[in-house]
Amino acid sequence: MIDFVQLVVSGLATGAIYALVAIGFALLWQTSNAVNFAQGEFVMLPAFVVLALIKAFDLPLWLAAAIALVVAVVIMGGLFKRAIVDAILPQGAMTLAIATIGLAVAMKNGVRAGYSAEAHPFPALFPVEPIRILGVGFSLADIGALVLAGVAIGGLSLFLAHTLAGRQMQAAAQNRDAALSLGIDVDRMALYTFGINAALATVAALLVTPSYLAKFDMGESLGLYAFYAAIIGGFNRVLGALWGGLIVGVLSNLAGAYLSASYKDGFVLALLIVVILFRPEGLFGSSEERKV
Amino acid sequence: MNIVRIATVALAFATLASAPSFGQQTVRLTNVCELSGPGTTAGTLWRNGVNLAIKEINAQGGILGRKIEITTVDTQTKPDVAKSLAEKMLDEKPYVMLGPVFSGSVKVNMVVAEQAGIPQFMGGEAADLTLQGNPFLFRTAFSQATGMPKVAAWIANGLKAKTIALVWINNDFGKGGRDAVKRELAARGVNVVADISTEPAAADYAAAVVRAKQSGADALFAYLTEEESARLLIELRKQGYDKPIVGETTIMGQKVIELAGGAAEGVRGHVGLTVDAPVPLIQAFAKRYLDEYKSASDHNGMKGYTAVYFVKAVTEKLGKFDPKAFAAAMKGLKLSAKDHPGILMDVSFDDKGDIDRESFLVEVKNGKQTVIEVLPPLGKK
Amino acid sequence: MTAGRWRLLGVLVLIAVLLAFPFFLRNYGLNLYARWALIAAAGIGLNLTVGYAGQVSLGHAAFLGFGAYLSAFAIKAGWTMWPAIPAAALLCFVVGLALGFPALRVQHHYLAFATLGFNALVFLAMRNEEWLTGGNYGIQRILRPVVFGWSLRDSFSYAYVCLGVLAVIAAIAWWILRSPWGRAFAALRDNPIRAESLGVNVRAYTLLAFAIGGALAGIAGVFFAPLIGYIDPHMFSGLVSIDLLLIVIVGGSGRFIGPLLGAAVGVLLPEWLRFMGDWYLVAFGALVLALMAWCPTGLAGLPERVATLLRPAPRDPAERAT
């Protein structure tokens, strides 16, 4: 029983991070129909910005993180939207997807060649010292990841549901033409979602890097799991992606411990395929389909 | 318009066929290693070691009066690219080929070096590499078939463990090591009660640690690459794992200690090459490396560094640059660090290309790898 | 001359250049050339699925893998690789039919991730089932064939073998596209609902698009194993599928010449960029990004794109905005 709780707790902490990455991914899809294959690299880059700032100017973590957040929102939010997405998206989602693959390759190798090919330790936002309660080991960092992910996602849901800008963003996502006719600045709303995506990715970077370590290719598997989480949970609801992340985190732990270590990813993949085939809107998504 | 397309393709192809010629005053080496993809960290340290050695040798006048000229190319950790590049580099007739570090890539491009008759010093540790009768292939580190018996013997006799849990990374490195150690442990009566594979680049090691704990084994043997080792150690500590943790080379490495912080404390095991060995030559090397690259070397840096010095030592012994004679001279070769300080430790090569030298039992204490026992070379026993 | 004659002349010149090329190459160039030919051949298969039938697939590397493993099994069993060709074509056709089923229900990114999930499962099986595939160790020393006493083992001969494979697969694809099947594929891509109303069996053709595309890649895979002489599961992972999709789109999806150009980008461009040292893959990524931004129809659409630029005034003012 203790083991089971342990697996669930660890899985939730890991899943919360997948969820943060997955939500941004789902947001971009909703508002812009953009599939961003560089999503994992969007987590990697802020981590290295923080490291570089600490190394170069000896800044405290919170200040470096704040600067990284601003840099991320400007570059991975604004610049990415204006310079890449706006230029390519009119040519089709597939063209943009391939362009983001190119972007991912360039980002990964840029950090490798320009900064370091090695893994680096990363300062922890929350203490990583283990705590043990009733035999279950965890750290404040795990709790912090869950809480912060919950706060970020809950806050986002509230923002979307209860503020004017949030409701305009939802309207723009659900029906672009109707939103336009209501006088909503659809393009500006889309720009906001790109900023939010970049901010969430930065938060994910701060949470995952202390245990996952900063490395140029850290985004590869992180991005992939986030895709799985987004689809399993549901693309068209913010909470869907949260559930998706948590399910992926817990399922792979339980499968790894009780079923098969070497096939544990297989269970996640099988769930992914079953969800796509029988409930493409996701386990927790709403069934209205935006696009034909 | 078709003409334009064809011209583009043709022009593009034409650039493939360029051919620099063999220099007179220099000796050309080629380094085919992993500078991107999953092998980046190992390959980069290997390259740094190689380049540091070349810089030193050239500063002292080169080999037999010739400066070394090195061409380094990136395999992207892809076997097919490693093969293509070996062909490209060997078309230019280098004296010796260095690399790659990952065994999968070595398996593919060792055939090319063999056909070209060019000696190859590689960093791969898979046991089967030197069992194929390739007279041009030489190791720079222990084969898993050499390292694992030493660590298994220590688990059985030193730790007196009766049962053990294996945690390994599910790629060719981890699988090779797991197969080798499982065999050696069985031969010494140590029972493997949990055999746990983990995914490369995994984020969550909770499941692996839970299974290791449930097995109730006397000790845990971990065989993973550096970052994965660090993550596993962090999770072991988090779940309060209290049995001995044993490893082979990687998990006691300085990089893992740095990455895992306190979680690496108390890990013990066998190390073939370590910058923390109580050997003055190695400690001087570690310092030079640190000064040059602003980060610490590990065994891969030492492999690359010594590889170049092996080339120098053997060539000076022969008194000429002759790849075939070079390969022949490697058989049963013994070199002492007193005569050739660059090789860092006394070594001998057997007729298969396997390397033998002293190795170390170490423990991580106070954030440092500490040698608890120096093991003699296998050949001396 | 008419456009048709220009096209014929272009094809003849292309064939002549491709035939002459190996004479100017050494080992490295020959094997790169052979790899280009096989990746282009696999790309032609994927282009049928993606470019002509409009079905996204990120599972194509699995088919390449099926072909490669069957070929390795056949060679290791002491037969030649030839029986692996029909076996691979058949296996990939059947698996392709199965992979097509998600496409009947979902499209776009859902389909992309369903097929990527399939590829990842295939990878796990190839890696874990060591008794069959050699697992992580892979299969080593896969020898190239000898035909009627004529050795195809040297890189020069094998480059022509691979060129031959490309030619045959291109010919099959050409024939399919000219047949009623090809027109059905195009109808499916352009407007499935209209295609249905015109009497095209959408279900059957969707499945066929995957099956035929897969079978062609499987055949290319059979020749891939002896080219490298070694295979392991990582050579057929989902990441490779992503590369293959990139090759088709960058070359020009739905254009016959597209995969040939795209394979040149995927296989050869990183090699040409190596003079940039540590930064060569950054340049590669940036070039792909720039190409997609500037010429979304891919390399095959480049001449038209240049022509548009050279034309003094765009006929449609909207064009200026792009």
Side-chain angles (χ1 to χ4, degrees), chain B residues 203-226:
Chain B
D204 196 332
Y205 285 84
V209 173
V210 162
R211 283 189 56 190
K213 280 171 75 179
Q214 282 175 344
S215 75
D218 296 341
L220 179 143
F221 179 78
Y223 198 63
L224 307 93
T225 36
E226 280 81 359

PDB file of all heavy atoms in Angstrom, chain B residues 203-226:
ATOM      1  N   ALA B 203      12.138  10.561 -16.638  1.00  0.00           N
ATOM      2  CA  ALA B 203      12.070  11.635 -15.654  1.00  0.00           C
ATOM      3  C   ALA B 203      11.781  11.088 -14.263  1.00  0.00           C
ATOM      4  O   ALA B 203      12.152  11.686 -13.271  1.00  0.00           O
ATOM      5  CB  ALA B 203      10.986  12.632 -16.055  1.00  0.00           C
ATOM      6  N   ASP B 204      11.106   9.960 -14.183  1.00  0.00           N
ATOM      7  CA  ASP B 204      10.578   9.493 -12.905  1.00  0.00           C
ATOM      8  C   ASP B 204      11.092   8.080 -12.610  1.00  0.00           C
ATOM      9  O   ASP B 204      10.773   7.141 -13.326  1.00  0.00           O
ATOM     10  CB  ASP B 204       9.045   9.507 -12.980  1.00  0.00           C
ATOM     11  CG  ASP B 204       8.410   9.404 -11.602  1.00  0.00           C
ATOM     12  OD1 ASP B 204       9.055   8.813 -10.697  1.00  0.00           O
ATOM     13  OD2 ASP B 204       7.297   9.904 -11.442  1.00  0.00           O
ATOM     14  N   TYR B 205      11.899   7.959 -11.559  1.00  0.00           N
ATOM     15  CA  TYR B 205      12.469   6.654 -11.229  1.00  0.00           C
ATOM     16  C   TYR B 205      11.757   5.993 -10.056  1.00  0.00           C
ATOM     17  O   TYR B 205      12.251   5.029  -9.488  1.00  0.00           O
ATOM     18  CB  TYR B 205      13.972   6.796 -10.949  1.00  0.00           C
ATOM     19  CG  TYR B 205      14.745   6.989 -12.238  1.00  0.00           C
ATOM     20  CD1 TYR B 205      14.867   8.232 -12.811  1.00  0.00           C
ATOM     21  CD2 TYR B 205      15.287   5.886 -12.899  1.00  0.00           C
ATOM     22  CE1 TYR B 205      15.527   8.404 -14.010  1.00  0.00           C
ATOM     23  CE2 TYR B 205      15.935   6.051 -14.098  1.00  0.00           C
ATOM     24  CZ  TYR B 205      16.051   7.309 -14.651  1.00  0.00           C
ATOM     25  OH  TYR B 205      16.689   7.459 -15.845  1.00  0.00           O
ATOM     26  N   ALA B 206      10.573   6.528  -9.696  1.00  0.00           N
ATOM     27  CA  ALA B 206       9.862   6.000  -8.539  1.00  0.00           C
ATOM     28  C   ALA B 206       9.567   4.508  -8.710  1.00  0.00           C
ATOM     29  O   ALA B 206       9.744   3.712  -7.776  1.00  0.00           O
ATOM     30  CB  ALA B 206       8.579   6.781  -8.316  1.00  0.00           C
ATOM     31  N   ALA B 207       9.112   4.116  -9.910  1.00  0.00           N
ATOM     32  CA  ALA B 207       8.724   2.725 -10.120  1.00  0.00           C
ATOM     33  C   ALA B 207       9.929   1.801  -9.952  1.00  0.00           C
ATOM     34  O   ALA B 207       9.837   0.743  -9.306  1.00  0.00           O
ATOM     35  CB  ALA B 207       8.112   2.552 -11.510  1.00  0.00           C
ATOM     36  N   ALA B 208      11.074   2.194 -10.507  1.00  0.00           N
ATOM     37  CA  ALA B 208      12.272   1.359 -10.412  1.00  0.00           C
ATOM     38  C   ALA B 208      12.691   1.190  -8.954  1.00  0.00           C
ATOM     39  O   ALA B 208      13.034   0.088  -8.512  1.00  0.00           O
ATOM     40  CB  ALA B 208      13.405   1.987 -11.230  1.00  0.00           C
ATOM     41  N   VAL B 209      12.633   2.280  -8.193  1.00  0.00           N
ATOM     42  CA  VAL B 209      13.074   2.214  -6.794  1.00  0.00           C
ATOM     43  C   VAL B 209      12.097   1.397  -5.960  1.00  0.00           C
ATOM     44  O   VAL B 209      12.510   0.593  -5.111  1.00  0.00           O
ATOM     45  CB  VAL B 209      13.261   3.638  -6.226  1.00  0.00           C
ATOM     46  CG1 VAL B 209      13.560   3.590  -4.739  1.00  0.00           C
ATOM     47  CG2 VAL B 209      14.384   4.348  -6.968  1.00  0.00           C
ATOM     48  N   VAL B 210      10.806   1.555  -6.219  1.00  0.00           N
ATOM     49  CA  VAL B 210       9.816   0.757  -5.484  1.00  0.00           C
ATOM     50  C   VAL B 210      10.067  -0.727  -5.710  1.00  0.00           C
ATOM     51  O   VAL B 210      10.081  -1.528  -4.774  1.00  0.00           O
ATOM     52  CB  VAL B 210       8.373   1.142  -5.915  1.00  0.00           C
ATOM     53  CG1 VAL B 210       7.378   0.060  -5.506  1.00  0.00           C
ATOM     54  CG2 VAL B 210       7.983   2.471  -5.287  1.00  0.00           C
ATOM     55  N   ARG B 211      10.318  -1.085  -6.945  1.00  0.00           N
ATOM     56  CA  ARG B 211      10.561  -2.509  -7.233  1.00  0.00           C
ATOM     57  C   ARG B 211      11.842  -2.996  -6.581  1.00  0.00           C
ATOM     58  O   ARG B 211      11.898  -4.130  -6.082  1.00  0.00           O
ATOM     59  CB  ARG B 211      10.602  -2.750  -8.742  1.00  0.00           C
ATOM     60  CG  ARG B 211       9.209  -2.752  -9.342  1.00  0.00           C
ATOM     61  CD  ARG B 211       9.215  -3.207 -10.773  1.00  0.00           C
ATOM     62  NE  ARG B 211       9.826  -4.525 -10.950  1.00  0.00           N
ATOM     63  CZ  ARG B 211      10.107  -5.049 -12.131  1.00  0.00           C
ATOM     64  NH1 ARG B 211       9.855  -4.368 -13.228  1.00  0.00           N
ATOM     65  NH2 ARG B 211      10.653  -6.236 -12.223  1.00  0.00           N
ATOM     66  N   ALA B 212      12.864  -2.150  -6.571  1.00  0.00           N
ATOM     67  CA  ALA B 212      14.119  -2.550  -5.932  1.00  0.00           C
ATOM     68  C   ALA B 212      13.904  -2.752  -4.440  1.00  0.00           C
ATOM     69  O   ALA B 212      14.399  -3.716  -3.837  1.00  0.00           O
ATOM     70  CB  ALA B 212      15.198  -1.493  -6.178  1.00  0.00           C
ATOM     71  N   LYS B 213      13.120  -1.859  -3.812  1.00  0.00           N
ATOM     72  CA  LYS B 213      12.845  -1.991  -2.381  1.00  0.00           C
ATOM     73  C   LYS B 213      12.035  -3.250  -2.095  1.00  0.00           C
ATOM     74  O   LYS B 213      12.339  -3.997  -1.166  1.00  0.00           O
ATOM     75  CB  LYS B 213      12.069  -0.761  -1.877  1.00  0.00           C
ATOM     76  CG  LYS B 213      12.952   0.440  -1.611  1.00  0.00           C
ATOM     77  CD  LYS B 213      12.131   1.678  -1.338  1.00  0.00           C
ATOM     78  CE  LYS B 213      11.500   1.674   0.060  1.00  0.00           C
ATOM     79  NZ  LYS B 213      10.735   2.930   0.276  1.00  0.00           N
ATOM     80  N   GLN B 214      11.015  -3.482  -2.916  1.00  0.00           N
ATOM     81  CA  GLN B 214      10.160  -4.652  -2.708  1.00  0.00           C
ATOM     82  C   GLN B 214      10.934  -5.948  -2.796  1.00  0.00           C
ATOM     83  O   GLN B 214      10.594  -6.936  -2.151  1.00  0.00           O
ATOM     84  CB  GLN B 214       9.030  -4.683  -3.749  1.00  0.00           C
ATOM     85  CG  GLN B 214       7.897  -3.731  -3.441  1.00  0.00           C
ATOM     86  CD  GLN B 214       6.874  -3.711  -4.564  1.00  0.00           C
ATOM     87  OE1 GLN B 214       7.141  -4.173  -5.672  1.00  0.00           O
ATOM     88  NE2 GLN B 214       5.703  -3.149  -4.283  1.00  0.00           N
ATOM     89  N   SER B 215      11.998  -5.947  -3.614  1.00  0.00           N
ATOM     90  CA  SER B 215      12.745  -7.193  -3.829  1.00  0.00           C
ATOM     91  C   SER B 215      13.492  -7.610  -2.566  1.00  0.00           C
ATOM     92  O   SER B 215      13.833  -8.777  -2.404  1.00  0.00           O
ATOM     93  CB  SER B 215      13.740  -7.018  -4.975  1.00  0.00           C
ATOM     94  OG  SER B 215      14.849  -6.250  -4.530  1.00  0.00           O
ATOM     95  N   GLY B 216      13.734  -6.656  -1.671  1.00  0.00           N
ATOM     96  CA  GLY B 216      14.443  -6.987  -0.436  1.00  0.00           C
ATOM     97  C   GLY B 216      15.868  -7.442  -0.657  1.00  0.00           C
ATOM     98  O   GLY B 216      16.449  -8.129   0.201  1.00  0.00           O
ATOM     99  N   ALA B 217      16.463  -7.076  -1.783  1.00  0.00           N
ATOM    100  CA  ALA B 217      17.823  -7.524  -2.085  1.00  0.00           C
ATOM    101  C   ALA B 217      18.834  -6.920  -1.104  1.00  0.00           C
ATOM    102  O   ALA B 217      18.602  -5.866  -0.539  1.00  0.00           O
ATOM    103  CB  ALA B 217      18.180  -7.126  -3.509  1.00  0.00           C
ATOM    104  N   ASP B 218      19.964  -7.626  -0.928  1.00  0.00           N
ATOM    105  CA  ASP B 218      21.011  -7.150  -0.029  1.00  0.00           C
ATOM    106  C   ASP B 218      21.678  -5.879  -0.544  1.00  0.00           C
ATOM    107  O   ASP B 218      22.248  -5.110   0.227  1.00  0.00           O
ATOM    108  CB  ASP B 218      22.115  -8.218   0.123  1.00  0.00           C
ATOM    109  CG  ASP B 218      21.568  -9.469   0.787  1.00  0.00           C
ATOM    110  OD1 ASP B 218      20.505  -9.372   1.419  1.00  0.00           O
ATOM    111  OD2 ASP B 218      22.208 -10.542   0.659  1.00  0.00           O
ATOM    112  N   ALA B 219      21.676  -5.692  -1.866  1.00  0.00           N
ATOM    113  CA  ALA B 219      22.346  -4.532  -2.443  1.00  0.00           C
ATOM    114  C   ALA B 219      21.709  -4.221  -3.793  1.00  0.00           C
ATOM    115  O   ALA B 219      20.940  -5.023  -4.334  1.00  0.00           O
ATOM    116  CB  ALA B 219      23.836  -4.797  -2.628  1.00  0.00           C
ATOM    117  N   LEU B 220      22.028  -3.026  -4.307  1.00  0.00           N
ATOM    118  CA  LEU B 220      21.494  -2.619  -5.597  1.00  0.00           C
ATOM    119  C   LEU B 220      22.664  -2.293  -6.522  1.00  0.00           C
ATOM    120  O   LEU B 220      23.588  -1.580  -6.127  1.00  0.00           O
ATOM    121  CB  LEU B 220      20.590  -1.395  -5.408  1.00  0.00           C
ATOM    122  CG  LEU B 220      19.945  -0.783  -6.657  1.00  0.00           C
ATOM    123  CD1 LEU B 220      18.545  -0.298  -6.321  1.00  0.00           C
ATOM    124  CD2 LEU B 220      20.753   0.355  -7.230  1.00  0.00           C
ATOM    125  N   PHE B 221      22.634  -2.867  -7.709  1.00  0.00           N
ATOM    126  CA  PHE B 221      23.660  -2.544  -8.701  1.00  0.00           C
ATOM    127  C   PHE B 221      23.019  -1.693  -9.787  1.00  0.00           C
ATOM    128  O   PHE B 221      22.025  -2.088 -10.390  1.00  0.00           O
ATOM    129  CB  PHE B 221      24.247  -3.817  -9.311  1.00  0.00           C
ATOM    130  CG  PHE B 221      25.292  -3.545 -10.353  1.00  0.00           C
ATOM    131  CD1 PHE B 221      26.579  -3.198  -9.985  1.00  0.00           C
ATOM    132  CD2 PHE B 221      24.973  -3.610 -11.700  1.00  0.00           C
ATOM    133  CE1 PHE B 221      27.549  -2.931 -10.951  1.00  0.00           C
ATOM    134  CE2 PHE B 221      25.940  -3.336 -12.670  1.00  0.00           C
ATOM    135  CZ  PHE B 221      27.232  -3.004 -12.291  1.00  0.00           C
ATOM    136  N   ALA B 222      23.581  -0.503 -10.015  1.00  0.00           N
ATOM    137  CA  ALA B 222      22.983   0.432 -10.976  1.00  0.00           C
ATOM    138  C   ALA B 222      23.927   0.638 -12.149  1.00  0.00           C
ATOM    139  O   ALA B 222      25.121   0.890 -11.965  1.00  0.00           O
ATOM    140  CB  ALA B 222      22.697   1.769 -10.300  1.00  0.00           C
ATOM    141  N   TYR B 223      23.414   0.515 -13.347  1.00  0.00           N
ATOM    142  CA  TYR B 223      24.242   0.713 -14.538  1.00  0.00           C
ATOM    143  C   TYR B 223      23.477   1.586 -15.520  1.00  0.00           C
ATOM    144  O   TYR B 223      22.682   1.114 -16.328  1.00  0.00           O
ATOM    145  CB  TYR B 223      24.600  -0.639 -15.156  1.00  0.00           C
ATOM    146  CG  TYR B 223      25.777  -0.567 -16.088  1.00  0.00           C
ATOM    147  CD1 TYR B 223      27.026  -0.192 -15.619  1.00  0.00           C
ATOM    148  CD2 TYR B 223      25.642  -0.881 -17.435  1.00  0.00           C
ATOM    149  CE1 TYR B 223      28.112  -0.117 -16.461  1.00  0.00           C
ATOM    150  CE2 TYR B 223      26.730  -0.814 -18.288  1.00  0.00           C
ATOM    151  CZ  TYR B 223      27.962  -0.432 -17.793  1.00  0.00           C
ATOM    152  OH  TYR B 223      29.050  -0.365 -18.632  1.00  0.00           O
ATOM    153  N   LEU B 224      23.714   2.891 -15.411  1.00  0.00           N
ATOM    154  CA  LEU B 224      23.025   3.863 -16.267  1.00  0.00           C
ATOM    155  C   LEU B 224      24.028   4.934 -16.684  1.00  0.00           C
ATOM    156  O   LEU B 224      25.101   5.039 -16.088  1.00  0.00           O
ATOM    157  CB  LEU B 224      21.877   4.543 -15.510  1.00  0.00           C
ATOM    158  CG  LEU B 224      20.826   3.670 -14.809  1.00  0.00           C
ATOM    159  CD1 LEU B 224      21.205   3.437 -13.366  1.00  0.00           C
ATOM    160  CD2 LEU B 224      19.467   4.325 -14.876  1.00  0.00           C
ATOM    161  N   THR B 225      23.672   5.728 -17.676  1.00  0.00           N
ATOM    162  CA  THR B 225      24.537   6.845 -18.066  1.00  0.00           C
ATOM    163  C   THR B 225      24.434   7.960 -17.023  1.00  0.00           C
ATOM    164  O   THR B 225      23.614   7.889 -16.115  1.00  0.00           O
ATOM    165  CB  THR B 225      24.160   7.354 -19.464  1.00  0.00           C
ATOM    166  OG1 THR B 225      22.758   7.258 -19.612  1.00  0.00           O
ATOM    167  CG2 THR B 225      24.819   6.520 -20.525  1.00  0.00           C
ATOM    168  N   GLU B 226      25.260   9.000 -17.154  1.00  0.00           N
ATOM    169  CA  GLU B 226      25.457   9.956 -16.068  1.00  0.00           C
ATOM    170  C   GLU B 226      24.178  10.621 -15.561  1.00  0.00           C
ATOM    171  O   GLU B 226      23.875  10.562 -14.372  1.00  0.00           O
ATOM    172  CB  GLU B 226      26.472  11.033 -16.474  1.00  0.00           C
ATOM    173  CG  GLU B 226      27.919  10.602 -16.355  1.00  0.00           C
ATOM    174  CD  GLU B 226      28.406   9.767 -17.530  1.00  0.00           C
ATOM    175  OE1 GLU B 226      27.598   9.504 -18.444  1.00  0.00           O
ATOM    176  OE2 GLU B 226      29.575   9.368 -17.536  1.00  0.00           O
TER     177      GLU B 226
END
